[in-house]
Amino acid sequence: MSDTVTVYFSGIDRGFDVSSTLAQFSLFGHEFTIKWYGAIIAFGFLLAVLFGGRMAYKWKMSIDKMLDVLIYSTIAGILGARLYYCIFKWDFYKDNPIEILEIWNGGLAIYGGIIGGILAAFIVCRVRKMNFFNLLDMAAMSLLIGQGIGRWGNFTNQEAFGTNTDLPWGMWSAKTAAYINEHYDEITANGIDIDPNLPVHPTFLYESLWCLLGFGVLYLICRYKRKFSGQIFLCYGVWYGVERAVIEGLRTDSLYIEGTTLRVSQLLSAALAIICLIVLIVLYVKFAKHPKPIDGVDFFLEEELKKQDKEKKTEKEKDKLNTERETDTNG
């Protein structure tokens, strides 16, 4: 099948030619190909990093510490995203292990990336003496930028689409039809009724728009309503969890728990949204009863206040001792 495919939308009379390849070139006798998938994800990552850098500056975070988190979390995030996907597709990858490395063809699971990145960030925060929950607040907004942009990589690959729809934005291409035909038995075995010749839900678009809207919502909450460390990340968990639990139910390429028709991401998303909402409510109530200042990412107000109290106490003791000495001398 050609690398370029014509994509049609129900409410638009014309089609759009979409290629999964951005560029091809030769270097030192070797052929190299740059895929739109990787380029778009890299662009989303760059925007997320730039926003994170801006927030780090505003929150007076050490740039050296931020770079440590960025480097280790990025590496762990990519590994986690790929491993998560491959684990739930192990029937295929155990016979094709070399394809585990071919991430440019798709197959990066966002939850695996988040888990890997968070674990790495937690370790770095412990070593570098940083407030982990404040760092998560910053990362939550950056994640939504990266996810909102990165989902368009799925469009260039014509993947991550949903079931049939007659909505005006329903999408059809030879690639979506080919995928459905190739995996028809697998898809229908999971209780999905689908026709490869009809338009499908562009679920990548739904998630992209939801994530970009979520970034705006979380940014406003962070700027005007942030009360405690971890609040923004918990809001992210609720916002993204609700969306993914709904949208995942439309997709035809979901990862399933082996031997069942239960979608891994749908269950995980629903659990994430519920747990984050409960914790968010509990912490809001706690804050309302005992409000206190929010720590910085790499400085801790509570420790600083204790230090200041100790210094004041020491100064008072010195003043008292000096006063007693003056009294004894005058006496």
Side-chain angles (χ1 to χ4, degrees):
M1 184 178 292
S2 171
D3 181 67
T4 299
V5 65
T6 303
V7 181
Y8 300 91
F9 294 91
S10 300
I12 302 176
D13 292 333
R14 54 158 293 188
F16 300 87
D17 289 339
V18 177
S19 174
S20 63
T21 299
L22 172 60
Q24 289 180 306
F25 57 93
S26 297
L27 187 64
F28 304 118
H30 296 280
E31 293 290 330
F32 293 90
T33 301
I34 300 175
K35 294 288 188 178
W36 273 111
Y37 181 85
I40 291 172
I41 287 180
F43 179 62
F45 176 78
L46 176 61
L47 290 181
V49 169
L50 290 175
F51 174 79
R54 177 61 181 169
M55 292 299 295
Y57 173 78
K58 291 177 68 175
W59 288 5
K60 298 180 174 61
M61 177 183 173
S62 164
I63 297 300
D64 287 341
K65 292 182 179 181
M66 179 184 174
L67 287 175
D68 284 347
V69 173
L70 179 63
I71 291 170
Y72 291 111
S73 294
T74 299
I75 295 172
I78 293 173
L79 291 174
R82 188 57 174 168
L83 287 173
Y84 184 100
Y85 181 85
C86 292
I87 286 170
F88 289 100
K89 291 282 187 178
W90 189 242
D91 284 344
F92 171 78
Y93 286 107
K94 69 181 180 181
D95 298 322
N96 304 275
I98 192 63
E99 294 196 28
I100 292 175
L101 303 176
E102 298 178 3
I103 61 174
W104 52 86
N105 289 324
L108 294 175
I110 184 61
Y111 278 125
I114 292 173
I115 292 169
I118 286 178
L119 287 175
F122 177 76
I123 294 171
V124 174
C125 285
R126 295 284 293 184
V127 173
R128 297 286 271 153
K129 309 299 182 187
M130 300 167 68
N131 186 306
F132 176 61
F133 296 105
N134 274 347
L135 188 69
L136 287 183
D137 282 347
M138 183 190 298
M141 293 179 285
S142 293
L143 272 172
L144 287 172
I145 294 175
Q147 290 172 257
I149 300 298
R151 274 301 176 191
W152 284 90
N154 297 132
F155 176 62
T156 63
N157 279 355
Q158 283 292 280
E159 60 187 6
F161 53 83
T163 53
N164 294 136
T165 178
D166 56 2
L167 292 170
W169 50 82
M171 177 183 74
W172 183 91
S173 73
K175 278 190 177 180
T176 62
Y179 178 89
I180 294 170
N181 281 320
E182 183 181 351
H183 299 274
Y184 186 80
D185 291 340
E186 178 186 342
I187 294 171
T188 54
N190 291 313
I192 298 173
D193 184 22
I194 193 164
D195 185 339
N197 300 310
L198 296 177
V200 295
H201 283 285
T203 50
F204 76 89
L205 174 62
Y206 301 163
E207 184 159 334
S208 175
L209 294 176
W210 187 258
C211 286
L212 293 177
L213 175 63
F215 165 73
V217 171
L218 262 61
Y219 180 77
L220 291 175
I221 293 174
C222 182
R223 186 168 182 179
Y224 299 109
K225 298 294 182 179
R226 185 167 178 256
K227 305 297 183 182
F228 52 86
S229 300
Q231 176 186 347
I232 306 304
F233 186 77
L234 290 170
C235 289
Y236 165 84
V238 176
W239 183 269
Y240 184 68
V242 168
E243 175 271 327
R244 191 62 184 271
V246 174
I247 300 303
E248 194 68 23
L250 297 175
R251 286 179 57 169
T252 56
D253 61 345
S254 298
L255 299 174
Y256 289 86
I257 297 174
E258 190 173 353
T260 74
T261 58
L262 298 176
R263 302 168 191 257
V264 177
S265 290
Q266 199 167 27
L267 291 175
L268 187 58
S269 298
L272 176 69
I274 293 170
I275 292 170
C276 286
L277 180 60
I278 292 172
V279 175
L280 192 61
I281 293 171
V282 169
L283 292 180
Y284 258 121
V285 173
K286 182 179 179 182
F287 174 82
K289 292 180 178 179
H290 307 287
K292 65 177 183 178
I294 302 176
D295 292 332
V297 177
D298 54 3
F299 65 89
F300 300 87
L301 290 174
E302 197 167 317
E303 292 182 5
E304 185 65 26
L305 290 172
K306 288 180 180 178
K307 183 180 177 182
Q308 290 177 6
D309 289 342
K310 187 175 181 181
E311 288 175 352
K312 288 179 180 179
K313 186 176 180 180
T314 302
E315 286 296 323
K316 286 182 180 180
E317 289 176 349
K318 286 182 179 179
D319 290 341
K320 183 178 179 181
L321 184 59
N322 289 334
T323 301
E324 289 175 350
R325 285 178 179 174
E326 289 177 3
T327 302
D328 292 341
T329 302
N330 293 333

